[in-house]
Amino acid sequence: MTDRKSQQKFECACIIGVGLIGSSMALAMRHRSLARKIIGVDRDENVLARAEKLGVIDQSETSLEKGAAGADLIILSTPVGAMADVCEMLSDAAPDGALIIDVGSVKGVVAKAGAALPERLHFVPSHPVAGTEQSGPEAGFATLFENRWCILTPLARKDEAYKSAINKAEELWTGVGALVEVMDAEHHDLALAVTSHLPHLIAFTLVGAADDVESVAHGEVIKYSAGGFRDFTRIAASDPIMWRDVFLSNKEAVLEVLGRFSEELAVMQRAIRWGDGKALEDAFARGRALRRAIVDAGQETEKPNFGRDKKPEN
Ligand code: NAP
């Protein structure tokens, strides 16, 4: 069990992109006293004003240079497509020795941008595998990362300062309640293409197809939407910009798993066409067993609606 008092304290954390993940990180750090001051940087003054009013951040900045100037911890929580530009700005703006982490859902492209930073800065790519379909500072909550995995994909740097930065990043994530795993960026991107990116693509596609049907079904799709369809609509309600960037940034891995998925779908299509009940039953039994394993591993709840009826208390 982690002793909270022994956690590393940061003097000043600068969170770039105060949306769902950025504000959850701010709240989680605040609740565990991991930073003395938290500055929020966002391009939208309105988002910053709301975040300050909610008590998520202590100070607002629309200028990344000003926000990062005095920070010993910088957290990139913008959509993945903005991270290369943010890194470029940080290469001059961030102070010597700063620990920089990101929270992006794709790691290869972000790690490449991080590797271009000067050695005086220590960038440790990170992906908390935790989130919801909501966006913006109002959606954040302090317990989002508790008991959820956070995957670190460190750069290929072997110097002592960088090793110590990896340790600090790990302490920060365990400090906000996450379980940490280290792997290389390529492996991460393939694994997450299977567990997160493909399911979102299927949900977006299914809901899009149902919307087309809706134009001829006159309200039935919404009126009679069954549990299965409603679960897909929850996933498909996720932020369009975030997901656009995920698919543009993880093209190869997504196309690879999409190819396998299409083959499996053709097998199911064939089983239905030829009345192969055994093949269908076997495939569905695999699904039930996998769901059981995820619940047993503590990564999901058996409660109806996945226990997600309400936003948890901060
Ligand atoms: P979000 O709620 O939409 O927040 C993103 C924030 O970044 C918004 O306030 C956005 O401002 C701001 N932003 C965009 N470009 C910016 C820039 N160039 N400079 C400063 N701020 C900028 O999204 P989120 O769900 O927190 O996602 C943030 C990151 O977390 C993404 O990289 C995503 O891949 C990753 N992630 C998300 C989840 C999830 O379930 N949502 C889970 C794990 C990781 P505007 O509102 O003005 O666009």
Side-chain angles (χ1 to χ4, degrees), residues 16 43 64-65 76 78-92 109 113-114 117:
I16 302 172
R43 56 189 183 177
L64 187 143
E65 286 81 0
L76 278 51
T78 65
V80 170
M83 287 190 186
D85 286 347
V86 171
C87 279
E88 207 177 312
M89 287 189 247
L90 287 176
S91 62
D92 289 329
V109 288
L117 286 166

Side-chain angles (χ1 to χ4, degrees), residues 105-116:
S105 307
V106 181
K107 296 275 59 85
V109 288
V110 176
K112 198 168 157 207

Side-chain angles (χ1 to χ4, degrees), residues 162-184:
Y162 191 66
K163 280 188 201 158
S164 139
I166 298 172
N167 289 340
K168 273 193 203 171
E170 206 167 323
E171 275 179 27
L172 172 63
W173 284 111
T174 53
V176 295
L179 311 162
V180 173
E181 180 93 37
V182 176
M183 64 179 71
D184 69 61

Side-chain angles (χ1 to χ4, degrees), residues 15 17-28 40-57 60 77 132 134-142 144 239 311-312 314:
I15 299 195
V18 193
L20 164 71
I21 304 293
S23 62
S24 294
M25 199 59 190
L27 288 167
V41 173
D42 208 288
R43 56 189 183 177
D44 187 342
E45 276 178 18
N46 181 30
V47 168
L48 289 169
R50 279 160 31 215
E52 225 176 313
K53 199 167 168 205
L54 287 163
V56 170
I57 51 175
S60 301
S77 43
T132 74
Q134 314 284 333
S135 305
E138 291 78 6
F141 54 98
L144 177 64
D239 190 67
K311 185 177 114 170
N314 281 327

Side-chain angles (χ1 to χ4, degrees), residues 33-310:
S33 307
L34 296 178
R36 273 186 228 290
K37 180 160 93 170
I38 300 180
I39 300 179
V41 173
D42 208 288
R43 56 189 183 177
D44 187 342
E45 276 178 18
N46 181 30
V47 168
L48 289 169
R50 279 160 31 215
E52 225 176 313
K53 199 167 168 205
L54 287 163
V56 170
I57 51 175
D58 300 304
Q59 193 182 317
S60 301
E61 273 298 346
T62 47
S63 153
L64 187 143
E65 286 81 0
K66 282 190 194 157
D72 53 348
L73 170 67
I74 299 171
I75 303 177
L76 278 51
S77 43
T78 65
V80 170
M83 287 190 186
D85 286 347
V86 171
C87 279
E88 207 177 312
M89 287 189 247
L90 287 176
S91 62
D92 289 329
D96 285 354
L99 169 65
I100 305 176
I101 63 166
D102 75 301
V103 298
S105 307
V106 181
K107 296 275 59 85
V109 288
V110 176
K112 198 168 157 207
L117 286 166
E119 280 218 352
R120 65 183 188 84
L121 302 173
H122 309 304
F123 184 92
V124 182
S126 316
H127 176 206
V129 187
T132 74
E133 67 282 15
Q134 314 284 333
S135 305
E138 291 78 6
F141 54 98
T143 53
L144 177 64
F145 310 108
E146 277 180 16
N147 202 30
R148 307 312 304 271
W149 286 100
C150 178
I151 301 170
L152 306 190
T153 63
L155 306 179
R157 268 177 66 176
K158 300 278 175 245
D159 54 292
E160 289 306 316
Y162 191 66
K163 280 188 201 158
S164 139
I166 298 172
N167 289 340
K168 273 193 203 171
E170 206 167 323
E171 275 179 27
L172 172 63
W173 284 111
T174 53
V176 295
L179 311 162
V180 173
E181 180 93 37
V182 176
M183 64 179 71
D184 69 61
E186 202 182 333
H187 186 80
H188 166 279
D189 287 355
L190 185 60
L192 271 290
V194 176
T195 61
S196 170
H197 307 170
L198 183 65
H200 277 82
L201 192 66
I202 293 168
F204 290 130
T205 310
L206 180 74
V207 172
D211 198 32
D212 289 343
V213 175
E214 174 72 355
S215 60
V216 288
H218 305 296
E220 275 81 357
V221 170
I222 290 172
K223 191 167 161 192
Y224 303 125
S225 82
F229 182 66
R230 274 188 276 123
D231 290 345
F232 275 107
T233 60
R234 184 191 64 75
I235 300 171
S238 301
D239 190 67
I241 306 290
M242 172 195 152
W243 283 98
R244 176 201 68 192
D245 286 3
V246 167
F247 291 111
L248 293 178
S249 310
N250 198 21
K251 187 170 150 184
E252 273 82 28
V254 169
L255 290 178
E256 165 65 24
V257 296
L258 191 57
R260 289 176 191 227
F261 175 76
S262 304
E263 284 170 25
E264 290 295 324
L265 199 59
V267 170
M268 300 293 254
Q269 193 176 16
R270 193 179 159 78
I272 294 169
R273 188 181 305 283
W274 294 101
D276 188 348
K278 169 93 175 64
L280 292 174
E281 199 182 321
D282 287 352
F284 302 159
R286 271 168 76 189
R288 183 168 266 201
L290 192 60
R291 164 93 191 150
R292 178 80 261 151
I294 293 168
V295 171
D296 288 349
Q299 295 298 305
E300 187 51 284
T301 164
E302 269 180 320
K303 287 183 201 153
N305 280 333
F306 309 98
R308 288 187 185 118
D309 281 350
K310 285 186 198 153

